[in-house]
Amino acid sequence: MTSPIAVVVLAAGAGTRMKSTIPKVLHPLAGWPMLRHVLDNVGRLKLARIVGVISPGAKAVAAAFAPHPTAVQRRPLGTGDAAKAALGALEGHRGPVLVVFGDAPLVTTASMRRLVAACRKEKAAVGVLGFIARDPSPYGRLIVHRDRLEKIVESKDADEAEKAIDFCNSGVMCLDGELVAALLGAIRNDNAKREFYLTDAVAIACATGHKAIAVEGEEGEFQGINSRAELASAERALQHRLRAAALAGGVTMTDPETVWLAADTRLAADVTIGPCVRFGPGVSVASNVEIRAFCDIEGARIGRGAVVGPFARVRPGSDLAEGVHIGNFVELKATKMGKGAKANHLAYLGDSDIGAASNIGAGTIAVNYDGYGKWRTVVAAEAFVGSNSSLVAPVRIGKGANVTAGSVITEDVPAGAVAFGRARQVTKKGRAAPLRAKLKARAAAAKRGKKK
Ligand code: UD1
Ligand code: CA
């Protein structure tokens, strides 16, 4: 039996290069705040606890860590100082302590597991995930000698020979829980940046007769996010992963590069997705659903065999039962569509319950908002709502009822009834030609009047 892991997530840095009022780790990636990706990835480890390190007053960040506790780093004096801030919350923990960065959301659980497993096997006091960097200049360099990691030299402190090394520190570090307090306590700030470097734990461990190791991973996993450009680049990388997983899971995408997924998008096998579709968070799609081009879907469940789009918008709180059809320029918000119900063209259905096998005609509007409150529209099963109708909520259309086209429905319609909510048509035989003559004469008179 291996002992469970304590994870420390550092998120107290200033994040100034984002030029944002939003804390860096809360910027969204694939529909989730960055930090949630980190917590999701570490959450799959065999965990003892997770501790977040935040800056003073970072309430929103603390909330994003909840239910996990947070420790406050008073001033951003470096990664070593930040890790030290978590020691109190690690009291009594004896197993491995994994330190990760809140701004590195692409590190996979598999890589973390490999690092922890290697540290256990080698009985290392410290282990780091390293990678061969295309451009090593921003990173700490790993100084390795005969399978042993001897020290990590930060870029600003590196000499020419060290700068030439391209084996770099990802920032993910595993420390022996028995030694972590002593190692972090010995870190000093006598370096170029006057910071307490977590990376110094390596040299300190070696100097006290312990072993340190480096485990190699893929550069793509270790891109940190410091700027908006890096945020965009991480988004691309994450989308690439999510699309690849969807394709491997049996989803057809006509043009995967144009499909934008959220981290939690659930797509069953045999779902087909056309080009230019965006999924916001909280969507699950059952098998044999076809999502046609240019749809935007968020916070919705889509049942088996449904057809959505092209050009449909399905907003949060919507639930489409089996075989529902939602056509072009139809918007749903917090709307339930029963089995086989259809709204095929140009409709807005907000806060509505549409019964099974009902048909909502083109141009129908559920008038859900009166300027103050939102109200529900209920259409029972097998009803027919004619085109260009307004259903003024709160209102109920009974089972099998028929609302004639162009109606403004303000009163409930009982089951089986036909409701007209429009002016009666007036037809005057033979009156088209005289009307045209009158209009023509009027226009000619107006023209003459202008010339004078
Ligand atoms: C760090 C590593 C470097 C590595 C690189 C990988 C150190 C000294 N250097 O450098 O070897 O190659 O990451 O990207 O560890 N933070 C705090 N409090 C602080 C300072 C930082 O919580 O006082 C947090 C930040 O929020 C961030 C993480 O620690 O999540 C990394 O800090 P950052 O300043 O970006 O480290 P780098 O200089 O990039
Ligand atoms: Ca960084």
Side-chain angles (χ1 to χ4, degrees):
M1 276 292 284
T2 54
S3 48
I5 304 161
V7 178
V8 176
V9 182
L10 302 189
T16 41
R17 275 184 285 163
M18 292 297 281
K19 300 206 170 68
S20 178
T21 54
I22 303 165
K24 175 164 77 175
V25 292
L26 300 185
H27 277 261
L29 264 184
W32 280 3
M34 195 188 297
L35 184 62
R36 188 164 164 198
H37 291 276
V38 176
L39 294 175
D40 191 61
N41 293 338
V42 300
R44 279 188 270 266
L45 296 167
K46 186 182 168 195
L47 278 179
R49 63 190 96 171
I50 294 176
V51 181
V53 177
I54 62 172
S55 55
K59 283 207 183 95
V61 182
F65 271 109
H68 307 293
T70 48
V72 174
Q73 183 193 19
R74 284 227 223 106
R75 281 181 299 147
L77 301 177
T79 50
D81 180 71
K84 215 166 17 177
L87 282 177
L90 293 176
E91 277 281 320
H93 175 76
R94 293 276 166 273
V97 174
L98 189 68
V99 180
V100 301
F101 294 165
D103 64 358
L106 301 179
V107 183
T108 61
T109 313
S111 296
M112 298 179 202
R113 280 203 189 106
R114 264 193 320 122
L115 173 64
V116 176
C119 287
R120 291 191 207 267
K121 183 162 170 261
E122 306 281 328
K123 299 196 164 38
V126 183
V128 302
L129 281 173
F131 63 101
I132 304 294
R134 264 165 306 172
D135 170 17
S137 57
Y139 301 112
R141 312 298 208 284
L142 302 182
I143 313 298
V144 179
H145 183 69
R146 293 193 178 152
D147 288 354
R148 293 283 187 112
L149 178 62
E150 292 187 334
K151 62 176 174 174
I152 303 178
V153 182
E154 289 304 299
S155 237
K156 284 214 170 136
D157 301 283
D159 62 29
E160 287 312 307
E162 289 163 342
K163 278 192 176 132
I165 294 169
D166 62 357
F167 192 28
C168 292
N169 175 27
S170 70
V172 181
M173 183 181 277
C174 179
L175 299 125
D176 181 337
E178 308 267 1
L179 301 170
V180 65
L183 292 174
L184 298 183
I187 294 173
R188 301 181 347 160
N189 68 345
D190 48 350
N191 51 52
K193 286 168 87 178
R194 299 254 134 241
E195 280 186 9
F196 295 88
Y197 293 157
L198 175 60
T199 45
D200 283 354
V202 171
I204 294 165
C206 295
T208 48
H210 297 288
K211 186 174 178 184
I213 59 167
V215 173
E216 192 178 334
E218 282 295 319
E219 178 165 20
E221 279 189 34
F222 303 126
Q223 44 176 307
I225 299 173
N226 302 294
S227 63
R228 307 274 181 160
E230 286 169 358
L231 182 68
S233 145
E235 178 77 51
R236 273 196 298 281
L238 208 48
Q239 289 296 335
H240 186 77
R241 265 192 211 171
L242 292 167
R243 291 169 191 142
L247 293 167
V251 172
T252 290
M253 295 188 205
T254 321
D255 187 1
E257 298 290 299
T258 67
V259 174
W260 292 78
L261 299 161
D264 60 357
T265 307
R266 290 192 357 235
L267 303 170
D270 288 320
V271 166
T272 299
I273 302 173
C276 300
V277 172
R278 186 197 79 101
F279 292 91
V283 176
S284 77
V285 183
S287 61
N288 293 95
V289 166
E290 189 183 343
I291 295 171
R292 296 179 178 164
F294 295 100
C295 288
D296 190 285
I297 302 173
E298 181 164 337
R301 191 195 71 92
I302 299 177
R304 260 195 301 145
V307 178
V308 178
F311 299 100
R313 179 156 184 225
V314 182
R315 292 169 53 197
S318 297
D319 187 297
L320 282 56
E322 197 177 329
V324 162
H325 284 199
I326 298 299
N328 37 242
F329 307 108
V330 173
E331 174 179 351
L332 305 183
K333 189 218 81 180
T335 286
K336 272 197 169 139
M337 300 283 294
K339 192 169 171 182
K342 292 183 179 149
N344 271 331
H345 331 267
L346 299 161
Y348 172 65
L349 298 173
D351 303 306
S352 306
D353 277 297
I354 310 299
S358 280
N359 192 302
I360 305 296
T364 296
I365 308 282
V367 183
N368 61 330
Y369 185 51
D370 56 17
Y372 299 96
K374 301 265 171 80
W375 306 97
R376 286 201 84 78
T377 296
V378 179
V379 176
E382 290 155 38
F384 181 89
V385 176
S387 294
N388 199 33
S389 293
S390 299
L391 308 175
V392 182
V395 72
R396 306 175 69 89
I397 312 293
K399 185 173 179 196
N402 190 313
V403 169
T404 60
S407 289
V408 177
I409 298 295
T410 54
E411 293 164 13
D412 288 356
V413 178
V418 174
F420 295 84
R422 64 191 189 204
R424 180 173 286 277
Q425 179 172 330
V426 177
T427 307
K428 294 182 178 173
K429 281 192 178 150
R431 288 279 294 276
L435 175 67
R436 278 198 286 268
K438 186 174 137 188
L439 296 175
K440 196 174 167 188
R442 190 168 75 177
K447 223 180 211 173
R448 279 197 305 275
K450 245 188 227 161
K451 272 185 193 155
K452 266 185 203 160

